[in-house]
Amino acid sequence: MYVETHSLTKSYGDFTALDGFSFGASRGEVVGLLGPNGAGKTTLLRTLMGFLKPTSGRASIDGLDCHRQSFEVHKRVSYLPGDARLFRTMRAREVIDFFTTVRRDNSRARAEKLAYDRFGLDPLRAVTAMSTGMRQKLALAVTLAVDTPLVILDEPTSNLDPTMRADVAALVAEAKSAGRTVIFSSHVISEVEQVCDRAIILRGGKLVHTQTLSELKRKHRIRAQLTGPLPPLPASFGGQISLTQGAAGDLLIETPGELSGMLGWLATLPLAEVRIEPVGLNALYEQFHPFEVSQD
Amino acid sequence: MNRALWKKTILESRWLLAGGSVFMFAVQWLRVWIASFFSVQSMEGILSFMPVEVEGLLPVSYTQMATTAGRIAIGYDDPIVLLLVTVWAVARGSDTISGELNRGTMEMVLAQPVTRLGVLFSQGVWTLVGGAILCGAALLGTFVGLQTITLDQPADFRLFIPAALNLYAITVFLAGLSTMVSSLTNYRARTIGIVGGFYAVSMVLKIIGRAAKGWEELTYASFFTPFEPQALVGVRGRAWTFWIESGDSFALGGLGYDSILIGLGLVFYVVAAVVFCRRDLPAPL
């Protein structure tokens, strides 16, 4: 694993922000962190960056201890904070100049191309005269221009319009195709569903679920209204499906994989109506955070 | 050291340093000009009417005041001059850690392959270099004044080097103190408030210790006690010694004063480095 944490815990007095968190991300993988505010997403990312000393447990990137070897770790990571603040005395081009000088692996040409051509920023505009979205774009440009094996983005699209969000998703896809590992946190479930290989759901500082998105895409939910009794399930289904029958003939079936075998059986049922839909990350997230689902 | 960090540090404070240096030069040049208004004879005449009790409240003795060098030296203890070095030291020291944390920019800086020590070092060295430039500007003001203004009793410019050095020593002390407090807090205003409170208490302690009989010991609790730049000018044998022993009495010399202030300032920097390298970095506030 390129990124690993083992029983990582971070406490502030009585409050535990991250509680025995263990996960890993391999090279070239895009991992999305989902959870409401206070779930521990930012604490996890800031611990990976070595900004916070773990109370217990361990975090490593490329085999290097994130806290004790943070200098070496930072050579391998490009990081965008959740609330990216830039130097208020500088103009856009000076910000780019700083970040492309401070590290040798940051390409000025790529940063300028991203900032000016792709995001449409004005190089002479002062940071103080920029909107929150513009500052976020500039921070994204200097972060994504770095050629590091790992990119960590903490809510990168939080201040961006839908067009820019799509652009960020495309940039993450580009990073993945270049073989880079990407970890990013978000409140926007559709975004994670769109670009990630794996989603991790956090609650109260704990990892409550890990979901491979390709597996999730095979899962379907079938909602049906029966007009007669439900016949017994064929033995070939092997008990892999979940079936819930309501009193008024409502039927809810959740299937983990291939639908073709089931469609034939469905056709034999006394159906008034039927609706087949992918389970989706939203429904999964709802299981762990029932009142906090983002509809973005 | 990272060139980008140096550039950023210098660019952020260039106008404060430039303005302060010009002002420092001007104040010292003006002091020479004002000193030229009185001849040594007329000054001796004026001072002969002054009561002895007032002498203790003055920055220099009557004997020193009667000389041109003594009157110019008061410029190094001038409230404006002290204010200028204080503003530089506290502004830079408080900005080093709590300022960057307060603005939320520290996280972006430390996400790069730079060490916390590297960030502190570039800021600290520039603060100390800037302090030297300010004190150098004061000395330059005196030098230019002595070269351009006709004085009744000419003074050697080298007499004022111990005063400028003492001014620099208190700059190092205040910069170190501010940086240490800065490393312990997340808010720049809090840093400035704590250092400002310490500064005010120290000043009050020295004033009471100097003015009130029986309270002399209070001066030892004030960091202003080893700051007497004006007293180091033209006093033979005191400026370039660590201490003076005469019978039972013992007094610190100019180098002793400077060693205490610079030594404490550097200790504060070391404490700041230890604290900053070990502490958690708070999320942008």
Side-chain angles (χ1 to χ4, degrees), chain A residues 1-4 23-27 29 31 181-183 198:
Chain A
M1 286 289 176
Y2 193 69
V3 181
E4 271 186 293
F23 96 112
S26 52
R27 278 185 182 271
E29 192 181 15
V31 179
T181 307
V182 182
I183 299 176
R198 195 149 51 95

Short mmCIF file of all heavy atoms in Angstrom, two decimals, chain A residues 1-4 23-27 29 31 181-183 198:
data_model
loop_
_atom_site.label_atom_id
_atom_site.label_comp_id
_atom_site.label_asym_id
_atom_site.label_seq_id
_atom_site.Cartn_x
_atom_site.Cartn_y
_atom_site.Cartn_z
N MET A 1 0.84 -1.21 0.00
CA MET A 1 0.00 0.00 0.00
C MET A 1 0.88 1.26 0.00
O MET A 1 1.85 1.32 0.75
CB MET A 1 -0.89 0.02 1.25
CG MET A 1 -2.04 -0.96 1.19
SD MET A 1 -3.25 -0.42 -0.02
CE MET A 1 -4.38 -1.77 0.02
N TYR A 2 0.50 2.24 -0.78
CA TYR A 2 1.30 3.47 -0.82
C TYR A 2 0.98 4.37 0.39
O TYR A 2 1.86 5.00 0.96
CB TYR A 2 1.00 4.22 -2.13
CG TYR A 2 1.99 5.31 -2.39
CD1 TYR A 2 3.31 5.00 -2.70
CD2 TYR A 2 1.63 6.65 -2.30
CE1 TYR A 2 4.25 6.00 -2.91
CE2 TYR A 2 2.56 7.65 -2.52
CZ TYR A 2 3.86 7.30 -2.82
OH TYR A 2 4.79 8.30 -3.03
N VAL A 3 -0.29 4.39 0.74
CA VAL A 3 -0.71 5.15 1.93
C VAL A 3 -1.33 4.16 2.91
O VAL A 3 -2.18 3.35 2.53
CB VAL A 3 -1.77 6.23 1.57
CG1 VAL A 3 -2.18 7.03 2.79
CG2 VAL A 3 -1.26 7.13 0.48
N GLU A 4 -0.91 4.22 4.17
CA GLU A 4 -1.44 3.27 5.15
C GLU A 4 -1.62 3.94 6.51
O GLU A 4 -0.78 4.75 6.91
CB GLU A 4 -0.45 2.12 5.35
CG GLU A 4 -0.65 0.96 4.40
CD GLU A 4 0.27 -0.20 4.74
OE1 GLU A 4 1.48 -0.04 4.59
OE2 GLU A 4 -0.25 -1.24 5.19
N PHE A 23 -6.71 2.15 7.24
CA PHE A 23 -7.05 2.01 5.83
C PHE A 23 -5.78 2.05 5.00
O PHE A 23 -4.68 2.29 5.49
CB PHE A 23 -8.06 3.10 5.39
CG PHE A 23 -7.43 4.31 4.74
CD1 PHE A 23 -7.64 4.59 3.39
CD2 PHE A 23 -6.64 5.17 5.48
CE1 PHE A 23 -7.07 5.70 2.79
CE2 PHE A 23 -6.07 6.29 4.89
CZ PHE A 23 -6.28 6.55 3.55
N GLY A 24 -5.92 1.77 3.73
CA GLY A 24 -4.78 1.81 2.84
C GLY A 24 -5.22 2.23 1.46
O GLY A 24 -6.38 2.06 1.07
N ALA A 25 -4.30 2.83 0.72
CA ALA A 25 -4.58 3.20 -0.67
C ALA A 25 -3.37 2.78 -1.50
O ALA A 25 -2.23 3.06 -1.13
CB ALA A 25 -4.81 4.70 -0.78
N SER A 26 -3.64 2.08 -2.58
CA SER A 26 -2.51 1.61 -3.40
C SER A 26 -2.19 2.62 -4.50
O SER A 26 -2.93 3.57 -4.72
CB SER A 26 -2.85 0.25 -3.98
OG SER A 26 -4.09 0.31 -4.63
N ARG A 27 -1.08 2.41 -5.16
CA ARG A 27 -0.64 3.33 -6.22
C ARG A 27 -1.66 3.40 -7.35
O ARG A 27 -2.20 2.38 -7.77
CB ARG A 27 0.69 2.88 -6.79
CG ARG A 27 1.88 3.31 -5.95
CD ARG A 27 3.15 2.91 -6.65
NE ARG A 27 4.32 3.26 -5.86
CZ ARG A 27 4.95 4.44 -5.94
NH1 ARG A 27 4.51 5.35 -6.76
NH2 ARG A 27 6.00 4.68 -5.19
N GLU A 29 -4.61 4.54 -7.24
CA GLU A 29 -6.00 4.42 -6.79
C GLU A 29 -6.57 5.79 -6.42
O GLU A 29 -5.84 6.65 -5.90
CB GLU A 29 -6.06 3.49 -5.57
CG GLU A 29 -7.48 3.08 -5.20
CD GLU A 29 -7.52 2.18 -3.97
OE1 GLU A 29 -6.52 2.10 -3.23
OE2 GLU A 29 -8.58 1.57 -3.75
N VAL A 31 -9.24 7.39 -3.96
CA VAL A 31 -10.04 7.06 -2.78
C VAL A 31 -10.80 8.31 -2.33
O VAL A 31 -10.21 9.38 -2.16
CB VAL A 31 -9.15 6.56 -1.62
CG1 VAL A 31 -9.99 6.25 -0.39
CG2 VAL A 31 -8.37 5.32 -2.04
N THR A 181 -1.79 8.44 -7.11
CA THR A 181 -2.80 8.10 -6.11
C THR A 181 -3.49 9.40 -5.70
O THR A 181 -2.82 10.41 -5.50
CB THR A 181 -2.13 7.46 -4.87
OG1 THR A 181 -1.33 6.38 -5.31
CG2 THR A 181 -3.14 6.99 -3.86
N VAL A 182 -4.79 9.35 -5.58
CA VAL A 182 -5.53 10.55 -5.17
C VAL A 182 -6.42 10.19 -3.97
O VAL A 182 -7.14 9.19 -4.01
CB VAL A 182 -6.40 11.12 -6.31
CG1 VAL A 182 -7.13 12.39 -5.87
CG2 VAL A 182 -5.58 11.39 -7.56
N ILE A 183 -6.32 10.98 -2.93
CA ILE A 183 -7.25 10.84 -1.80
C ILE A 183 -7.99 12.16 -1.71
O ILE A 183 -7.35 13.21 -1.60
CB ILE A 183 -6.51 10.56 -0.48
CG1 ILE A 183 -5.72 9.25 -0.59
CG2 ILE A 183 -7.49 10.49 0.69
CD1 ILE A 183 -4.88 8.94 0.63
N ARG A 198 -12.71 3.87 -4.93
CA ARG A 198 -13.20 3.34 -3.65
C ARG A 198 -13.70 4.51 -2.79
O ARG A 198 -13.09 5.59 -2.81
CB ARG A 198 -12.03 2.65 -2.93
CG ARG A 198 -12.41 1.75 -1.78
CD ARG A 198 -11.41 0.60 -1.66
NE ARG A 198 -10.04 1.06 -1.62
CZ ARG A 198 -9.36 1.29 -0.49
NH1 ARG A 198 -9.91 1.11 0.68
NH2 ARG A 198 -8.10 1.70 -0.54
#
